[in-house]
Coordinates of all heavy atoms in Angstrom, one line a residue:
M1 N 7.8 -13.4 -13.0 CA 7.0 -12.3 -12.6 C 6.0 -12.8 -11.5 O 5.9 -12.1 -10.5 CB 6.2 -11.7 -13.7 CG 5.3 -10.6 -13.3 SD 4.4 -9.9 -14.7 CE 2.9 -10.6 -14.5
W2 N 5.4 -13.9 -11.6 CA 4.5 -14.4 -10.6 C 5.2 -14.8 -9.4 O 4.7 -14.5 -8.2 CB 3.7 -15.6 -11.1 CG 2.7 -15.2 -12.2 CD1 2.8 -15.4 -13.5 CD2 1.4 -14.5 -11.9 NE1 1.7 -14.9 -14.1 CE2 0.8 -14.4 -13.2 CE3 0.8 -14.0 -10.8 CZ2 -0.4 -13.7 -13.3 CZ3 -0.4 -13.4 -11.0 CH2 -1.0 -13.3 -12.2
R3 N 6.4 -15.3 -9.5 CA 7.2 -15.7 -8.4 C 7.6 -14.5 -7.5 O 7.4 -14.6 -6.3 CB 8.4 -16.5 -8.9 CG 9.3 -17.0 -7.8 CD 10.4 -17.8 -8.4 NE 11.2 -18.5 -7.3 CZ 12.2 -19.3 -7.5 NH1 12.6 -19.5 -8.8 NH2 12.8 -19.8 -6.5
S4 N 8.0 -13.4 -8.1 CA 8.4 -12.3 -7.4 C 7.2 -11.6 -6.7 O 7.3 -11.1 -5.6 CB 9.1 -11.3 -8.3 OG 8.3 -10.8 -9.3
L5 N 6.0 -11.7 -7.4 CA 4.8 -11.2 -6.8 C 4.4 -11.9 -5.5 O 4.1 -11.3 -4.4 CB 3.6 -11.2 -7.7 CG 2.3 -10.7 -7.2 CD1 2.3 -9.3 -7.0 CD2 1.2 -11.2 -8.1
F6 N 4.5 -13.3 -5.6 CA 4.2 -14.1 -4.4 C 5.2 -13.9 -3.3 O 4.9 -13.9 -2.1 CB 4.0 -15.6 -4.8 CG 2.8 -15.9 -5.4 CD1 2.7 -16.4 -6.7 CD2 1.6 -15.7 -4.8 CE1 1.6 -16.7 -7.4 CE2 0.4 -16.0 -5.5 CZ 0.4 -16.5 -6.7
I7 N 6.5 -13.8 -3.6 CA 7.5 -13.5 -2.6 C 7.2 -12.2 -1.9 O 7.3 -12.1 -0.7 CB 8.9 -13.5 -3.2 CG1 9.3 -15.0 -3.6 CG2 10.0 -13.0 -2.2 CD1 10.6 -15.1 -4.4
A8 N 6.9 -11.2 -2.7 CA 6.6 -9.9 -2.1 C 5.4 -9.9 -1.2 O 5.4 -9.3 0.0 CB 6.4 -8.8 -3.2
L9 N 4.3 -10.6 -1.6 CA 3.1 -10.7 -0.8 C 3.4 -11.5 0.5 O 2.9 -11.1 1.6 CB 2.0 -11.3 -1.6 CG 1.4 -10.4 -2.7 CD1 0.4 -11.3 -3.4 CD2 0.8 -9.2 -2.1
G10 N 4.2 -12.5 0.4 CA 4.5 -13.3 1.6 C 5.4 -12.6 2.6 O 5.1 -12.6 3.8
I11 N 6.4 -11.9 2.1 CA 7.2 -11.1 3.0 C 6.4 -10.0 3.6 O 6.6 -9.7 4.8 CB 8.4 -10.5 2.2 CG1 9.4 -11.7 1.8 CG2 9.2 -9.5 3.0 CD1 10.5 -11.3 1.0
M12 N 5.5 -9.4 2.9 CA 4.7 -8.3 3.5 C 3.8 -8.9 4.6 O 3.6 -8.3 5.7 CB 3.8 -7.7 2.4 CG 3.2 -6.4 2.9 SD 4.4 -5.2 3.2 CE 3.5 -4.1 4.2
A13 N 3.2 -10.1 4.4 CA 2.4 -10.7 5.4 C 3.2 -11.1 6.6 O 2.8 -10.9 7.8 CB 1.7 -12.0 4.8
I14 N 4.5 -11.5 6.4 CA 5.3 -11.8 7.6 C 5.6 -10.5 8.4 O 5.6 -10.5 9.6 CB 6.6 -12.5 7.1 CG1 6.3 -13.9 6.6 CG2 7.7 -12.5 8.2 CD1 7.5 -14.6 5.8
I15 N 5.9 -9.4 7.7 CA 6.2 -8.2 8.4 C 5.0 -7.7 9.2 O 5.1 -7.3 10.3 CB 6.6 -7.1 7.3 CG1 8.0 -7.4 6.8 CG2 6.6 -5.7 8.0 CD1 8.4 -6.6 5.6
V16 N 3.8 -7.8 8.6 CA 2.5 -7.4 9.3 C 2.3 -8.3 10.5 O 1.9 -7.8 11.6 CB 1.3 -7.5 8.3 CG1 0.0 -7.3 9.1 CG2 1.4 -6.4 7.3
G17 N 2.6 -9.6 10.4 CA 2.5 -10.5 11.5 C 3.4 -10.2 12.6 O 3.0 -10.2 13.8
I18 N 4.7 -9.8 12.3 CA 5.6 -9.5 13.3 C 5.2 -8.1 14.0 O 5.3 -8.0 15.2 CB 7.0 -9.4 12.7 CG1 7.5 -10.8 12.4 CG2 8.0 -8.7 13.7 CD1 8.8 -10.8 11.6
E19 N 4.7 -7.2 13.2 CA 4.3 -5.9 13.8 C 3.1 -6.2 14.7 O 3.0 -5.5 15.8 CB 3.9 -5.0 12.7 CG 5.0 -4.4 12.0 CD 4.6 -3.4 10.9 OE1 3.4 -3.3 10.6 OE2 5.5 -2.8 10.2
C20 N 2.2 -7.1 14.4 CA 1.1 -7.3 15.3 C 1.5 -8.1 16.5 O 0.8 -7.9 17.6 CB 0.0 -8.1 14.5 SG -0.9 -7.2 13.3
L21 N 2.6 -8.8 16.5 CA 3.1 -9.4 17.7 C 3.7 -8.3 18.6 O 3.6 -8.5 19.9 CB 4.2 -10.4 17.4 CG 3.8 -11.8 17.0 CD1 5.0 -12.6 16.6 CD2 3.1 -12.5 18.2
L22 N 4.2 -7.2 18.1 CA 4.9 -6.2 18.9 C 4.0 -5.2 19.5 O 4.3 -4.5 20.4 CB 6.0 -5.6 18.1 CG 7.1 -6.6 17.6 CD1 8.1 -5.8 16.7 CD2 7.8 -7.2 18.8
I23 N 2.8 -5.0 18.9 CA 1.9 -3.9 19.4 C 0.8 -4.4 20.2 O 0.4 -5.6 20.1 CB 1.3 -3.1 18.2 CG1 0.4 -4.0 17.3 CG2 2.4 -2.5 17.3 CD1 -0.5 -3.2 16.3
D24 N 0.2 -3.6 21.1 CA -0.9 -3.9 21.9 C -2.2 -3.4 21.2 O -3.2 -4.1 21.2 CB -0.9 -3.3 23.3 CG 0.2 -4.0 24.1 OD1 0.5 -5.2 23.9 OD2 0.8 -3.3 24.9
S25 N -2.1 -2.3 20.6 CA -3.2 -1.7 19.8 C -2.7 -0.7 18.8 O -1.6 -0.2 19.0 CB -4.2 -1.0 20.8 OG -3.6 0.1 21.4
A26 N -3.6 -0.3 17.9 CA -3.2 0.7 16.9 C -4.4 1.7 16.8 O -5.6 1.3 16.8 CB -3.0 0.0 15.5
S27 N -4.1 3.0 16.7 CA -5.1 4.0 16.6 C -5.1 4.5 15.2 O -4.1 4.9 14.7 CB -4.8 5.1 17.6 OG -4.8 4.7 18.9
F28 N -6.3 4.6 14.7 CA -6.5 5.2 13.3 C -7.3 6.4 13.4 O -8.3 6.5 14.0 CB -7.2 4.2 12.4 CG -6.5 2.9 12.2 CD1 -6.9 1.7 12.9 CD2 -5.4 2.8 11.4 CE1 -6.2 0.5 12.7 CE2 -4.7 1.6 11.2 CZ -5.1 0.5 11.8
Y29 N -6.8 7.5 12.8 CA -7.4 8.8 12.8 C -8.2 9.0 11.5 O -7.9 8.5 10.5 CB -6.4 9.9 12.9 CG -5.6 9.9 14.2 CD1 -4.3 9.4 14.2 CD2 -6.1 10.4 15.3 CE1 -3.6 9.3 15.4 CE2 -5.4 10.3 16.5 CZ -4.1 9.8 16.5 OH -3.4 9.8 17.7
S30 N -9.3 9.7 11.7 CA -10.2 10.0 10.5 C -9.5 10.9 9.6 O -8.9 11.9 9.9 CB -11.5 10.6 11.0 OG -12.2 11.0 9.9
R31 N -9.5 10.5 8.3 CA -8.7 11.3 7.3 C -9.4 12.6 7.0 O -8.7 13.6 6.7 CB -8.6 10.4 6.0 CG -7.8 11.0 4.9 CD -7.7 10.1 3.8 NE -7.3 10.8 2.6 CZ -7.2 10.3 1.4 NH1 -7.5 9.0 1.3 NH2 -6.9 11.0 0.4
S32 N -10.7 12.6 7.0 CA -11.4 13.8 6.6 C -11.2 15.0 7.7 O -11.3 16.2 7.3 CB -12.9 13.5 6.5 OG -13.4 13.1 7.6
S33 N -11.1 14.7 8.9 CA -11.0 15.7 9.9 C -9.6 15.9 10.5 O -9.4 16.6 11.5 CB -11.9 15.4 11.1 OG -11.5 14.2 11.7
T34 N -8.6 15.4 9.8 CA -7.2 15.6 10.3 C -6.3 16.2 9.2 O -6.4 15.9 8.0 CB -6.6 14.2 10.6 OG1 -7.5 13.5 11.5 CG2 -5.2 14.3 11.2
T35 N -5.5 17.2 9.6 CA -4.5 17.8 8.7 C -3.1 17.5 9.3 O -3.0 17.1 10.5 CB -4.8 19.3 8.6 OG1 -4.6 19.9 9.9 CG2 -6.1 19.6 8.0
A36 N -2.1 17.8 8.5 CA -0.7 17.6 9.0 C -0.4 18.6 10.1 O 0.4 18.2 11.0 CB 0.2 17.8 7.8
V37 N -0.9 19.7 10.1 CA -0.6 20.7 11.2 C -1.2 20.2 12.5 O -0.6 20.5 13.6 CB -1.3 22.1 10.8 CG1 -1.0 23.1 11.9 CG2 -0.7 22.6 9.5
D38 N -2.3 19.5 12.5 CA -2.8 18.9 13.8 C -1.9 18.0 14.5 O -1.9 17.9 15.7 CB -4.2 18.2 13.5 CG -5.2 19.2 13.0 OD1 -5.1 20.4 13.4 OD2 -6.1 18.7 12.3
F39 N -1.1 17.3 13.8 CA -0.1 16.4 14.4 C 1.0 17.1 15.1 O 1.7 16.6 15.9 CB 0.4 15.3 13.4 CG -0.6 14.3 13.0 CD1 -1.3 14.3 11.9 CD2 -0.7 13.2 13.9 CE1 -2.2 13.3 11.6 CE2 -1.6 12.2 13.6 CZ -2.4 12.3 12.5
L40 N 1.3 18.3 14.6 CA 2.4 19.1 15.2 C 2.0 19.8 16.5 O 2.9 20.3 17.2 CB 3.0 20.1 14.2 CG 3.5 19.4 12.9 CD1 3.9 20.5 11.9 CD2 4.7 18.6 13.2
D41 N 0.7 20.0 16.7 CA 0.2 20.7 17.9 C 0.2 19.7 19.1 O -0.6 18.8 19.1 CB -1.2 21.3 17.6 CG -1.7 22.1 18.8 OD1 -0.9 22.5 19.6 OD2 -2.9 22.2 18.8
P42 N 1.1 19.9 20.1 CA 1.1 19.0 21.2 C 0.0 19.2 22.2 O -0.1 18.4 23.1 CB 2.5 19.3 21.8 CG 2.8 20.7 21.5 CD 2.1 20.9 20.2
S43 N -0.8 20.2 22.0 CA -1.8 20.5 23.1 C -3.1 19.6 23.0 O -3.8 19.5 23.9 CB -2.2 22.0 23.0 OG -2.8 22.2 21.8
G44 N -3.3 19.0 21.8 CA -4.6 18.2 21.7 C -4.4 17.0 20.8 O -3.3 16.8 20.2
A45 N -5.5 16.3 20.6 CA -5.5 15.1 19.8 C -5.6 15.6 18.3 O -6.3 16.6 18.0 CB -6.7 14.2 20.1
P46 N -5.0 14.9 17.4 CA -5.0 15.3 16.0 C -6.4 15.2 15.4 O -6.7 15.8 14.3 CB -4.1 14.4 15.3 CG -3.4 13.6 16.3 CD -4.1 13.8 17.6
S47 N -7.3 14.4 15.9 CA -8.6 14.1 15.3 C -9.6 13.8 16.4 O -9.2 13.3 17.5 CB -8.6 13.0 14.4 OG -9.8 12.7 13.8
K48 N -10.8 14.2 16.2 CA -11.9 13.9 17.2 C -12.4 12.5 17.1 O -12.9 11.9 18.0 CB -13.0 14.9 17.0 CG -12.6 16.3 17.4 CD -13.8 17.2 17.2 CE -13.5 18.6 17.6 NZ -12.2 19.2 17.3
S49 N -12.3 11.9 15.9 CA -12.7 10.5 15.7 C -11.5 9.6 15.6 O -10.9 9.6 14.5 CB -13.7 10.4 14.5 OG -13.0 10.8 13.3
I50 N -11.3 8.8 16.6 CA -10.2 7.9 16.6 C -10.7 6.5 16.8 O -11.6 6.2 17.6 CB -9.2 8.2 17.8 CG1 -8.7 9.6 17.7 CG2 -8.1 7.1 17.9 CD1 -7.9 10.0 18.9
T51 N -10.3 5.6 15.9 CA -10.7 4.2 16.0 C -9.5 3.4 16.5 O -8.4 3.5 16.0 CB -11.1 3.6 14.6 OG1 -12.1 4.5 14.0 CG2 -11.5 2.2 14.6
T52 N -9.7 2.6 17.5 CA -8.6 1.8 18.1 C -8.8 0.4 17.7 O -9.9 -0.2 17.9 CB -8.6 2.0 19.6 OG1 -8.4 3.3 19.9 CG2 -7.4 1.2 20.2
W53 N -7.8 -0.3 17.2 CA -7.9 -1.7 16.8 C -6.9 -2.5 17.7 O -5.7 -2.2 17.8 CB -7.5 -1.8 15.3 CG -7.5 -3.2 14.8 CD1 -8.5 -4.1 14.7 CD2 -6.3 -4.0 14.5 NE1 -8.1 -5.3 14.2 CE2 -6.7 -5.3 14.1 CE3 -4.9 -3.7 14.4 CZ2 -5.9 -6.2 13.7 CZ3 -4.1 -4.7 14.0 CH2 -4.5 -5.9 13.6
K54 N -7.4 -3.6 18.3 CA -6.6 -4.5 19.1 C -6.6 -5.8 18.4 O -7.7 -6.4 18.3 CB -7.2 -4.6 20.5 CG -7.1 -3.3 21.3 CD -7.6 -3.4 22.7 CE -7.5 -2.1 23.4 NZ -8.0 -2.2 24.7
P55 N -5.5 -6.3 17.9 CA -5.5 -7.6 17.2 C -5.7 -8.7 18.2 O -5.3 -8.7 19.4 CB -4.1 -7.7 16.7 CG -3.2 -6.7 17.4 CD -4.1 -5.7 17.9
K56 N -6.5 -9.7 17.8 CA -6.7 -10.9 18.6 C -5.4 -11.6 18.9 O -4.4 -11.4 18.1 CB -7.7 -11.8 17.9 CG -9.0 -11.2 17.6 CD -9.9 -11.1 18.8 CE -11.3 -10.5 18.3 NZ -12.1 -10.2 19.4
E57 N -5.4 -12.5 19.8 CA -4.2 -13.3 20.1 C -3.7 -14.2 19.0 O -2.5 -14.4 18.8 CB -4.4 -14.1 21.4 CG -3.2 -14.7 22.0 CD -3.4 -15.4 23.3 OE1 -4.3 -15.0 24.0 OE2 -2.7 -16.4 23.5
W58 N -4.7 -14.7 18.2 CA -4.3 -15.6 17.2 C -4.0 -14.9 15.9 O -3.4 -15.6 15.0 CB -5.5 -16.6 16.9 CG -6.8 -15.9 16.7 CD1 -7.7 -15.6 17.7 CD2 -7.3 -15.3 15.5 NE1 -8.8 -14.9 17.1 CE2 -8.6 -14.7 15.8 CE3 -6.9 -15.3 14.2 CZ2 -9.4 -14.1 14.8 CZ3 -7.7 -14.7 13.2 CH2 -8.9 -14.1 13.6
F59 N -4.3 -13.7 15.7 CA -4.1 -13.0 14.4 C -2.7 -12.9 13.9 O -2.4 -13.2 12.8 CB -4.8 -11.6 14.5 CG -4.7 -10.8 13.2 CD1 -5.5 -11.2 12.1 CD2 -3.8 -9.8 13.0 CE1 -5.4 -10.5 10.9 CE2 -3.7 -9.1 11.8 CZ -4.5 -9.5 10.8
P60 N -1.7 -12.5 14.8 CA -0.3 -12.5 14.3 C 0.2 -13.8 13.9 O 0.9 -13.9 12.9 CB 0.5 -11.9 15.5 CG -0.5 -11.4 16.5 CD -1.8 -12.0 16.2
W61 N -0.2 -14.9 14.6 CA 0.3 -16.2 14.2 C -0.3 -16.7 12.9 O 0.4 -17.3 12.1 CB 0.0 -17.2 15.3 CG 0.7 -16.8 16.6 CD1 0.1 -16.3 17.7 CD2 2.1 -16.7 16.9 NE1 1.0 -16.0 18.6 CE2 2.3 -16.2 18.2 CE3 3.2 -17.1 16.1 CZ2 3.5 -16.1 18.7 CZ3 4.5 -17.0 16.7 CH2 4.6 -16.5 18.0
L62 N -1.5 -16.3 12.7 CA -2.2 -16.7 11.4 C -1.5 -16.0 10.2 O -1.2 -16.6 9.2 CB -3.7 -16.3 11.4 CG -4.4 -16.4 10.1 CD1 -4.7 -17.9 9.9 CD2 -5.7 -15.7 10.2
V63 N -1.3 -14.7 10.4 CA -0.6 -13.9 9.3 C 0.8 -14.3 9.0 O 1.2 -14.5 7.9 CB -0.7 -12.4 9.6 CG1 0.0 -11.6 8.5 CG2 -2.2 -11.9 9.7
L64 N 1.5 -14.6 10.1 CA 2.9 -15.1 10.0 C 2.9 -16.5 9.3 O 3.8 -16.7 8.4 CB 3.5 -15.3 11.3 CG 4.2 -14.1 11.9 CD1 4.6 -14.3 13.4 CD2 5.5 -13.8 11.1
S65 N 2.0 -17.4 9.6 CA 2.0 -18.7 9.0 C 1.6 -18.6 7.5 O 2.2 -19.3 6.7 CB 1.1 -19.7 9.8 OG -0.2 -19.2 9.8
V66 N 0.6 -17.8 7.2 CA 0.2 -17.7 5.8 C 1.3 -17.1 5.0 O 1.6 -17.5 3.9 CB -1.1 -16.8 5.7 CG1 -1.4 -16.4 4.3 CG2 -2.3 -17.6 6.3
G67 N 2.0 -16.0 5.5 CA 3.1 -15.4 4.8 C 4.2 -16.4 4.6 O 4.8 -16.4 3.5
T68 N 4.5 -17.2 5.6 CA 5.6 -18.2 5.4 C 5.2 -19.3 4.4 O 6.0 -19.6 3.6 CB 5.8 -18.9 6.8 OG1 6.1 -17.9 7.8 CG2 7.0 -19.9 6.7
L69 N 4.0 -19.7 4.4 CA 3.5 -20.7 3.4 C 3.6 -20.1 2.0 O 3.9 -20.8 1.0 CB 2.1 -21.2 3.7 CG 2.0 -22.1 4.9 CD1 0.5 -22.4 5.2 CD2 2.8 -23.4 4.7
V70 N 3.2 -18.8 1.8 CA 3.2 -18.2 0.5 C 4.7 -18.1 0.0 O 5.0 -18.3 -1.2 CB 2.5 -16.8 0.5 CG1 2.8 -16.0 -0.7 CG2 1.0 -17.0 0.8
V71 N 5.6 -17.7 0.9 CA 7.0 -17.6 0.5 C 7.6 -19.0 0.1 O 8.2 -19.2 -0.9 CB 7.9 -17.0 1.6 CG1 9.3 -17.1 1.3 CG2 7.5 -15.5 1.8
I72 N 7.2 -20.0 0.9 CA 7.7 -21.4 0.5 C 7.1 -21.8 -0.8 O 7.8 -22.4 -1.6 CB 7.3 -22.3 1.7 CG1 8.2 -22.0 2.9 CG2 7.5 -23.8 1.3 CD1 7.8 -22.8 4.2
Y73 N 5.8 -21.5 -1.0 CA 5.1 -21.9 -2.2 C 5.8 -21.2 -3.4 O 6.0 -21.8 -4.5 CB 3.7 -21.5 -2.2 CG 3.0 -21.6 -3.5 CD1 2.6 -22.9 -4.0 CD2 2.6 -20.5 -4.2 CE1 2.0 -23.0 -5.2 CE2 2.0 -20.6 -5.4 CZ 1.7 -21.8 -6.0 OH 1.1 -21.9 -7.2
S74 N 6.2 -19.9 -3.2 CA 6.8 -19.2 -4.3 C 8.1 -19.7 -4.7 O 8.5 -19.6 -5.9 CB 6.9 -17.7 -4.0 OG 7.9 -17.5 -2.9
F75 N 8.8 -20.4 -3.8 CA 10.1 -21.0 -4.2 C 9.9 -22.3 -4.9 O 10.8 -22.9 -5.5 CB 11.0 -21.1 -3.0 CG 11.7 -19.9 -2.6 CD1 11.4 -19.3 -1.3 CD2 12.5 -19.2 -3.4 CE1 12.0 -18.1 -0.9 CE2 13.1 -18.0 -3.1 CZ 12.9 -17.5 -1.8
T76 N 8.7 -22.9 -4.8 CA 8.5 -24.2 -5.4 C 7.7 -24.1 -6.7 O 7.3 -25.1 -7.3 CB 7.7 -25.1 -4.5 OG1 6.4 -24.5 -4.1 CG2 8.5 -25.4 -3.2
I77 N 7.4 -22.8 -7.2 CA 6.7 -22.7 -8.4 C 7.7 -23.2 -9.5 O 8.8 -22.7 -9.6 CB 6.4 -21.2 -8.7 CG1 5.3 -20.7 -7.7 CG2 5.8 -21.0 -10.1 CD1 5.0 -19.3 -7.7
P78 N 7.2 -24.0 -10.4 CA 8.1 -24.6 -11.4 C 8.5 -23.5 -12.4 O 7.9 -22.5 -12.6 CB 7.2 -25.6 -12.1 CG 6.0 -25.7 -11.4 CD 5.9 -24.6 -10.4
N79 N 9.6 -23.8 -13.1 CA 10.1 -22.9 -14.1 C 9.3 -22.8 -15.3 O 9.4 -21.9 -16.1 CB 11.6 -23.2 -14.4 CG 12.5 -22.9 -13.3 OD1 12.3 -22.1 -12.5 ND2 13.6 -23.6 -13.3
R80 N 8.5 -23.8 -15.5 CA 7.6 -23.8 -16.8 C 6.6 -22.7 -16.8 O 6.1 -22.3 -17.8 CB 7.0 -25.2 -17.0 CG 6.0 -25.6 -15.9 CD 5.6 -27.0 -16.1 NE 5.2 -27.6 -14.9 CZ 4.0 -27.7 -14.4 NH1 3.0 -27.1 -15.0 NH2 3.7 -28.3 -13.2
I81 N 6.3 -22.1 -15.6 CA 5.3 -21.0 -15.6 C 6.0 -19.8 -16.2 O 5.3 -19.0 -16.8 CB 4.9 -20.7 -14.1 CG1 4.0 -21.9 -13.7 CG2 4.2 -19.4 -14.0 CD1 3.4 -21.7 -12.3
R82 N 7.3 -19.7 -16.2 CA 7.9 -18.5 -16.8 C 7.8 -18.5 -18.3 O 7.7 -17.5 -18.9 CB 9.4 -18.6 -16.5 CG 9.8 -18.2 -15.1 CD 11.3 -18.1 -14.9 NE 11.6 -18.0 -13.5 CZ 12.8 -18.2 -13.1 NH1 13.8 -18.5 -13.9 NH2 13.0 -18.1 -11.8
H83 N 7.6 -19.7 -18.9 CA 7.4 -19.8 -20.3 C 5.9 -19.9 -20.8 O 5.7 -20.1 -21.9 CB 8.1 -21.1 -20.8 CG 9.6 -21.1 -20.5 ND1 10.5 -20.1 -21.0 CD2 10.3 -21.9 -19.7 CE1 11.7 -20.4 -20.5 NE2 11.6 -21.4 -19.7
S84 N 5.1 -19.6 -19.9 CA 3.6 -19.7 -20.2 C 3.2 -18.4 -20.8 O 3.9 -17.4 -20.9 CB 2.8 -20.0 -19.0 OG 2.8 -18.9 -18.1
S85 N 1.9 -18.3 -21.2 CA 1.4 -17.1 -21.8 C 1.0 -16.0 -20.8 O 0.5 -15.0 -21.2 CB 0.2 -17.5 -22.7 OG -0.8 -18.0 -21.9
F86 N 1.2 -16.2 -19.5 CA 0.8 -15.3 -18.5 C 1.7 -14.1 -18.4 O 1.4 -13.1 -17.9 CB 0.6 -15.9 -17.1 CG -0.6 -16.9 -17.1 CD1 -0.4 -18.2 -16.7 CD2 -1.8 -16.5 -17.4 CE1 -1.4 -19.1 -16.7 CE2 -2.9 -17.4 -17.4 CZ -2.7 -18.7 -17.0
D87 N 3.0 -14.3 -18.8 CA 4.0 -13.2 -18.7 C 3.8 -12.1 -19.6 O 3.5 -12.1 -20.7 CB 5.4 -13.8 -18.8 CG 5.8 -14.6 -17.5 OD1 5.1 -14.4 -16.5 OD2 6.7 -15.4 -17.6

């Protein structure tokens, strides 16, 4: 159980790192002032409050390396943890 959890977290970190390598910025819309209909209207912005996030140059590489280390660690977890009382 622990091994699969660490593998999933590591793979997710790798995916987020790759996504951050491919984007220049991400726009987040305010949840309280946005409805689904607003996204279908091409005449205006879906929300008045938009937050733009630009990842730093080092951020994707950090997340990729941490995800890779977690996946490698999860493959080296000994089998004796499966027989412990944590399961």
Side-chain angles (χ1 to χ4, degrees):
M1 181 177 99
W2 289 106
R3 185 176 184 177
S4 61
L5 177 71
F6 283 121
I7 289 173
L9 290 175
I11 290 173
M12 193 64 200
I14 290 171
I15 290 170
V16 168
I18 290 171
E19 286 179 355
C20 287
L21 276 175
L22 298 176
I23 64 168
D24 292 328
S25 65
S27 298
F28 298 103
Y29 297 101
S30 174
R31 182 176 164 184
S32 62
S33 64
T34 304
T35 62
V37 177
D38 293 334
F39 283 100
L40 298 175
D41 183 22
S43 64
S47 177
K48 292 180 179 38
S49 60
I50 299 173
T51 303
T52 303
W53 177 69
K54 294 181 181 179
K56 304 281 186 190
E57 188 176 330
W58 52 267
F59 182 75
W61 300 108
L62 174 75
V63 177
L64 273 170
S65 60
V66 168
T68 304
L69 289 174
V70 169
V71 169
I72 290 172
Y73 170 75
S74 67
F75 283 118
T76 61
I77 294 176
N79 289 335
R80 60 187 153 93
I81 289 184
R82 288 186 189 166
H83 303 296
S84 69
S85 63
F86 294 123
D87 288 339

